Amino acid sequence: MGATVKLHKSTFQHVEAELYRYHETKREITRIKNDILYGTSPPDENVGGGRSNIPGDPTGRAGTLLASYRLLQHMVRVVDAIETIYNQLPEEKKKLIELKYWTKSQELSWDGIAMQLHVSRNTAINWRDEIVQAIAEHLGWW
């Protein structure tokens, strides 16, 4: 995981945002897959009435499905990149990801994270930079 190309600040922040949202994104992938597979229907506004005379909207449904599918593809690519890089990391770097991005209470400072990892603050930050760089490269975002 060498830094071959320096990431633009906004790209770095985007990758970090994806790391923070990782678990939420996985849940959203499941929800979208279910929507695509089983469909969602709008609420019935004709409660107690007979059959509706309003025609369905197959074109609108197809457009919605296509948009959902594209979003799903993007989310799956991001989650796959995070998991691929994460699974290649040694345990101490996995722990850094867990402490920095996946712990509910984001109360630990870099000093606190470094202390738990038994490394210097600069080492912890360098590890973070390498990990974010590797994810960005995996996604082709550099």
Side-chain angles (χ1 to χ4, degrees), residues 90-101:
E91 287 306 313
E92 64 271 8
K93 292 183 181 180
K94 286 180 180 179
K95 180 95 171 148
L96 177 129
I97 295 295
E98 293 160 11
L99 290 170
K100 174 71 176 157
Y101 301 105

Side-chain angles (χ1 to χ4, degrees), residues 29-75:
I29 287 170
T30 301
R31 187 194 64 75
I32 291 172
K33 281 182 179 178
N34 286 334
D35 284 354
I36 290 172
L37 288 174
Y38 306 113
T40 54
S41 54
D44 186 2
E45 295 175 4
N46 190 21
V47 178
R51 284 185 48 168
S52 171
N53 62 352
I54 301 170
D57 182 10
T59 305
R61 171 114 173 97
T64 301
L65 278 175
L66 183 58
S68 293
Y69 182 71
R70 286 183 178 150
L71 176 61
L72 178 64
Q73 282 182 309
H74 170 74
M75 294 167 82

Side-chain angles (χ1 to χ4, degrees), residues 4-141:
T4 54
V5 176
K6 178 127 171 75
L7 287 181
H8 190 275
K9 183 179 178 181
S10 63
T11 304
F12 189 94
Q13 291 170 336
H14 185 77
V15 171
E16 277 202 305
E18 295 294 354
L19 281 163
Y20 281 117
R21 282 195 304 258
Y22 169 77
H23 294 290
E24 182 182 323
T25 301
K26 285 189 65 134
R27 284 190 299 275
E28 188 68 6
I29 287 170
T30 301
R31 187 194 64 75
I32 291 172
K33 281 182 179 178
N34 286 334
D35 284 354
I36 290 172
L37 288 174
Y38 306 113
T40 54
S41 54
D44 186 2
E45 295 175 4
N46 190 21
V47 178
R51 284 185 48 168
S52 171
N53 62 352
I54 301 170
D57 182 10
T59 305
R61 171 114 173 97
T64 301
L65 278 175
L66 183 58
S68 293
Y69 182 71
R70 286 183 178 150
L71 176 61
L72 178 64
Q73 282 182 309
H74 170 74
M75 294 167 82
V76 166
R77 268 189 71 229
V78 169
V79 164
D80 178 62
I82 290 170
E83 290 175 350
T84 298
I85 298 305
Y86 177 83
N87 289 332
Q88 294 172 359
L89 295 173
E91 287 306 313
E92 64 271 8
K93 292 183 181 180
K94 286 180 180 179
K95 180 95 171 148
L96 177 129
I97 295 295
E98 293 160 11
L99 290 170
K100 174 71 176 157
Y101 301 105
W102 298 345
T103 300
K104 286 286 184 204
S105 62
Q106 297 295 320
E107 296 174 6
L108 279 181
S109 65
W110 276 113
D111 291 323
I113 291 170
M115 191 180 309
Q116 289 209 15
L117 297 173
H118 308 290
V119 297
S120 72
R121 181 180 192 276
N122 285 343
T123 297
I125 291 170
N126 287 338
W127 287 357
R128 184 265 328 251
D129 293 351
E130 291 172 5
I131 293 164
V132 169
Q133 176 82 28
I135 292 168
E137 287 179 9
H138 189 84
L139 288 164
W141 288 359

